[in-house]
Amino acid sequence: MTKIACILYNKNISKGKGLQIIADLFLGESMNLFDILGPIMIGPSSSHTAGAARIGYVARKLLGEEPIYIDIGLHGSFAATGDGHGTPMAIVGGLLGMKPDDERLPQSFELAHSLGIEIIRHNIYLREAHPNTAVLFVKGKKRQLEIQAESLGGGTIRICKIDGINTNFNGDYPTLIVHNIDEPGHVAGVTALLAKRQINLATVQLYRDERGGYAVMVIESDQRIPEDVLYEIEEMPGIIKVTYLNMDA
Amino acid sequence: MAFTSVKTLLDGYAKQDLNIEFWEYIMLEDMKDQQISRTESMKHVQELMSVMKQAVQNYDANQRSASGLSGGDGAKFAAAQEAGHTLTSGFIADAIRIALTMAECNACMKRIVAAPTAGSCGVLPAVLLAYESNFGAEPEAFIEALYVAAAYGQIIAYEASISGAQGGCQAEIGAASAMAAVALTYLHGGSLEEGANACAFALKNMLGLVCDPVAGLVEVPCVKRNVAGAVNAIAAAEMALAGIQSKIPVDEVIAAMDEIGKLMDSSLRETGKGGLAATLTAKKIEKALTH
């Protein structure tokens, strides 16, 4: 599957600023004071431990329920030095709902074991992937999910694939992920509903596998999205799956 | 993006007409950047300070890292201090002990503050907490010093890098040391110009330092380099406070660090392949850990 379109817009900013934001997204240079002092985290590595915990946490939020089966594939430096840095432990901790500064992280495997969760960990090789990449396949009682994510340093991450479709977001904002049939009107329908509910959009990204096939929109918003809005989107014709991520909830 | 160079930071502050202090100017600019309130911002920085203190207080002398390579050295140094066997005393000795302690906490999967990274998390708390116990200061002063240090860290991240994988250890311990030097200069009543000089000194002394962790782990030599970063910060602040000036302006020093990082072979940038990581003993350690 190839990424056909990636639209990043914000109605409040000029085109030039928009390009700067895109540049910052990929260069990772724009840091606020708390990116410099922080995060508060469990050691030893912001990329291999804190970032890994965050990847697990995002996966848990996207799955929306407690996992019963966790398959962890580690690539590159994650594969080479992940065990010494507690990368699998941090991912499992995140999947159990622990944040990167949760002091229970070092005991996550014991906790998962006591809950009867099956864990598989193996090394993988991906072409042209970031050196700190993890591919997680998780199953709950009702749902399952596969994500590919990168740990970019300093505890920041990027979710680059969900269920095989390319994405590009980090979970800093409330994020709505809508899988839909690729036909006219779905983006307009969803964004109109969000506008009606006074939810300001930070970014909108659109991805699809083939023309007229399967598409995904990733919408980052300034405000959290209420449950009834999510339900309403789910009920719209042509919508296949709605996932919502709010790291603060 | 609030601050892009030390020059624009200092010029920006000089031009503002709100009659506010330097640290407050930094805080207000960042509040705009992050779209957060004054209360949120200050609460966060206070929490950083308290997490640093807690980590030192909860230090367990018996704790070892998963690899077994780290732990117990902070306690060894404390014992030497207690027995009066150390070469230095007071401020510098305390800074050495706290740097060891914090870096070991990190290696042993304890709760720490990445400052700017997890591997360099011992430097800033070492000088701040040692200053507190040896010179004393109002709690607010440390919060203010953290804002000033963070602004310099942000500039280093923007003009160069704070990632060992990009710029080697000079980017991690070097940046942490520069931030700590600025914080110390601020705490001890130094001028803005002296702060900039302290940053330049600390960074200059760390230029070229490679990132060569044994077995790729944030342990050897990272724990002890936190000590080097802390002691270097104290020396840099001392020179700046005495009125000594950096012959190369701080922004040019940061640019040089960036240039050096780009010239550095990838084996010396957090890959665990060159330098100390390539020594015979390191290879033995690595082999023992993977079997």
Side-chain angles (χ1 to χ4, degrees):
Chain A
M1 283 182 204
T2 49
K3 180 168 75 179
I4 306 288
C6 168
I7 304 167
L8 190 79
Y9 88 86
N10 182 321
K11 57 184 183 279
N12 298 322
I13 54 176
S14 68
K15 214 172 193 174
K17 183 82 195 282
L19 289 173
Q20 180 59 46
I21 289 175
I22 293 173
D24 288 346
L25 208 64
F26 294 107
L27 296 174
E29 283 180 339
S30 182
M31 291 191 169
N32 62 54
L33 294 190
F34 301 158
D35 293 328
I36 301 296
L37 285 184
I40 295 170
M41 53 168 277
I42 302 303
S45 163
S46 55
S47 54
H48 288 62
T49 323
R54 195 169 162 86
I55 289 171
Y57 191 80
V58 167
R60 167 62 183 265
K61 290 282 171 178
L62 291 171
L63 183 67
E65 60 177 314
E66 188 167 279
I68 52 174
Y69 175 86
I70 300 172
D71 179 297
I72 303 170
L74 299 179
H75 163 81
S77 176
F78 262 15
T81 67
D83 288 325
H85 286 132
T87 306
M89 156 217 104
I91 289 174
V92 168
L95 277 162
L96 294 176
M98 300 176 200
K99 290 190 175 180
D101 71 333
D102 195 312
E103 285 173 314
R104 298 170 301 160
L105 275 178
Q107 287 87 45
S108 69
F109 268 80
E110 286 90 326
L111 182 59
H113 186 74
S114 72
L115 293 167
I117 300 169
E118 190 183 347
I119 301 172
I120 292 172
R121 176 244 186 274
H122 53 103
N123 290 343
I124 50 172
Y125 175 74
L126 304 165
R127 285 182 63 184
E128 289 174 29
H130 186 281
N132 296 330
T133 297
V135 176
L136 309 181
F137 176 68
V138 284
K139 272 199 260 189
K141 284 200 175 97
K142 285 174 281 183
R143 275 169 284 198
Q144 63 179 52
L145 170 84
E146 186 182 87
I147 70 162
Q148 182 174 324
E150 304 167 345
S151 180
L152 304 172
T156 60
I157 62 164
R158 189 171 84 94
I159 307 298
C160 32
K161 270 186 192 178
I162 294 181
D163 294 331
I165 293 199
N166 290 308
T167 57
N168 180 16
F169 66 98
N170 59 20
D172 281 349
Y173 291 90
T175 308
L176 178 68
I177 299 134
V178 181
H179 296 243
N180 59 282
I181 295 166
D182 186 22
E183 55 191 16
H186 294 315
V187 176
V190 171
T191 53
L193 175 62
L194 294 173
K196 203 173 87 185
R197 295 296 294 267
Q198 296 293 309
I199 293 161
N200 191 48
L201 309 183
T203 70
V204 177
Q205 302 163 45
L206 305 174
Y207 307 92
R208 61 180 180 175
D209 56 353
E210 61 186 83
R211 188 174 291 185
Y214 187 73
V216 172
M217 57 182 120
V218 177
I219 299 174
E220 294 180 302
S221 65
D222 290 329
Q223 291 84 23
R224 60 176 57 184
I225 301 172
E227 231 169 84
D228 64 302
V229 174
L230 300 175
Y231 184 71
E232 206 173 317
I233 294 170
E234 224 161 33
E235 294 300 295
M236 288 176 170
I239 303 294
I240 299 160
K241 180 180 171 186
V242 176
T243 314
Y244 176 58
L245 171 72
N246 184 3
M247 295 287 278
D248 298 326
Chain B
M1 180 66 220
F3 309 116
T4 52
S5 70
V6 175
K7 190 177 183 308
T8 54
L9 168 65
L10 298 185
D11 286 353
Y13 175 64
K15 267 188 238 146
Q16 60 84 27
D17 47 11
L18 299 166
N19 196 25
I20 49 173
E21 286 190 54
F22 186 50
W23 71 270
E24 198 174 9
Y25 170 71
I26 292 166
M27 182 185 72
L28 290 174
E29 287 296 311
D30 187 65
M31 279 163 50
K32 267 190 267 172
D33 213 32
Q34 294 201 59
Q35 304 211 330
I36 55 171
S37 70
R38 187 187 181 96
T39 320
E40 281 172 309
S41 182
M42 294 204 73
K43 206 176 135 198
H44 188 93
V45 178
Q46 276 156 2
E47 198 191 350
L48 297 177
M49 192 71 193
S50 75
V51 171
M52 288 177 183
K53 281 187 181 173
Q54 275 165 19
V56 175
Q57 277 161 11
N58 297 341
Y59 176 71
D60 177 357
N62 298 315
Q63 184 82 37
R64 294 294 176 272
S65 63
S67 69
L69 291 170
S70 309
D73 290 346
K76 260 186 200 163
F77 192 83
Q81 249 186 312
E82 195 97 341
H85 289 160
T86 52
L87 292 168
T88 57
S89 60
F91 183 40
I92 294 185
D94 284 347
I96 293 172
R97 175 176 47 79
I98 298 167
L100 280 172
T101 303
M102 278 302 276
E104 284 184 331
C105 284
N106 181 57
C108 298
M109 295 182 180
K110 298 294 175 188
R111 198 159 175 255
I112 54 95
V113 180
T117 60
S120 61
C121 74
V123 180
L124 202 52
V127 303
L128 292 180
L129 302 181
Y131 189 90
E132 189 183 33
S133 53
N134 287 275
F135 296 94
E138 295 298 317
E140 294 77 26
F142 292 96
I143 304 300
E144 295 168 16
L146 279 173
Y147 275 109
V148 178
Y152 272 83
Q154 185 185 48
I155 291 164
I156 295 170
Y158 186 79
E159 288 192 306
S161 167
I162 54 163
S163 147
Q166 279 184 312
C169 191
Q170 57 166 5
E172 294 206 22
I173 293 288
S177 188
M179 290 161 66
V182 174
L184 270 182
T185 309
Y186 181 86
L187 278 173
H188 215 59
S191 67
L192 297 187
E193 198 199 339
E194 286 165 357
N197 278 318
C199 175
F201 293 145
L203 214 49
K204 280 199 282 189
N205 295 350
M206 289 279 166
L207 287 183
L209 194 61
V210 301
C211 180
D212 49 358
V214 170
L217 303 174
V218 191
E219 299 194 52
V220 181
C222 319
V223 171
K224 279 129 199 163
R225 284 209 186 134
N226 275 268
V227 177
V231 175
N232 178 51
I234 295 170
E238 284 281 43
M239 289 192 279
L241 286 163
I244 300 170
Q245 288 184 341
S246 175
K247 298 287 186 286
I248 310 291
V250 61
D251 286 313
E252 291 182 36
V253 175
I254 299 171
M257 182 185 111
D258 187 40
E259 188 64 31
I260 294 166
K262 284 177 179 146
L263 291 169
M264 222 176 252
D265 190 76
S266 86
S267 65
L268 302 170
R269 285 185 282 115
E270 211 178 339
T271 47
K273 288 184 180 149
L276 289 172
T279 57
L280 203 62
T281 304
K283 289 291 159 201
K284 274 187 205 157
I285 291 171
E286 194 174 352
K287 208 172 167 192
L289 287 174
T290 46
H291 288 289

